[in-house]
Amino acid sequence: MPVTTLRDDDPRTAELLAGGARVVAESWGARLEVVDPGPLRALVRRVTDRGLVVGELTASEAAEVLDLETATRPDYPDGPATPRPDLDAAGAARLFTDGGRVFGVRDDGLLVAVTAVEQLPDRAETAFTSVRATHRGRGVGTAVKAASVLALAADGVRRFGTGGAGDNAASLGMNRAVGYRVTERWLTLES
């Protein structure tokens, strides 16, 4: 059966649905324009006040990023518009090149959250954010995402983009807490 991914407001979406297509996955895109960094700093402090360390990672930590991604990979929603990251050692190393920056949260030395960001000419776009299962629901994903935005904003970036699977409520909540606003929704249709 043919599978097509379209924005929910694309006229072809309504036509396909009217013709019997069914929605098999949903995803979203969001944007953020940094105006006041104060709320972002507060999100990071909520984690650092508990003794966790938040900061930018270096290429020497690529193996730890790969270990975290390997541990969390089975938990990612996977769909045509939001495929799971599929990192190997070379891919983890590439996250730190060509405008890529990676940020992490450590708890007693263990990397428990990571976000990878790519700097594009008009914005910074999140490639992925992962949180170790033992640390979910504790604000570490929100803190690492906020830290990435703060660091890039300090370097002059003002526009940010991100996205995720429609069935990943935690990701959507984390991004809204950072200040992202959903600007588009996508439907994957099977006909």
Side-chain angles (χ1 to χ4, degrees), residues 73-158:
R73 190 174 195 286
D75 301 332
Y76 276 100
D78 192 24
T82 54
R84 293 179 186 134
D86 190 16
L87 286 182
D88 57 13
R94 277 192 302 277
L95 294 172
F96 298 88
T97 63
D98 299 327
R101 294 177 70 180
V102 183
F103 300 82
V105 177
R106 291 184 180 281
D107 185 358
D108 199 22
L110 177 66
L111 187 64
V112 297
V114 67
T115 193
V117 182
E118 180 183 5
Q119 288 183 260
L120 303 172
D122 64 330
R123 70 184 184 281
E125 187 75 28
T126 303
F128 63 85
T129 301
S130 299
V131 178
R132 197 172 293 279
T134 55
H135 286 71
R136 293 184 188 142
R138 297 166 61 186
V140 296
T142 303
V144 75
K145 191 93 174 224
S148 72
V149 170
L150 283 167
L152 291 159
D155 290 345
V157 177
R158 291 293 173 256

Side-chain angles (χ1 to χ4, degrees), residues 56-72:
E56 189 161 1
L57 303 178
T58 66
S60 66
E61 296 164 295
E64 290 177 275
V65 172
L66 179 58
D67 288 344
L68 177 59
E69 279 305 294
T70 300
T72 60

Side-chain angles (χ1 to χ4, degrees), residues 158-179:
R158 291 293 173 256
R159 295 183 62 229
F160 295 82
T162 195
D167 60 352
N168 190 341
S171 176
L172 184 57
M174 167 190 66
N175 285 292
R176 284 185 170 148
V178 172

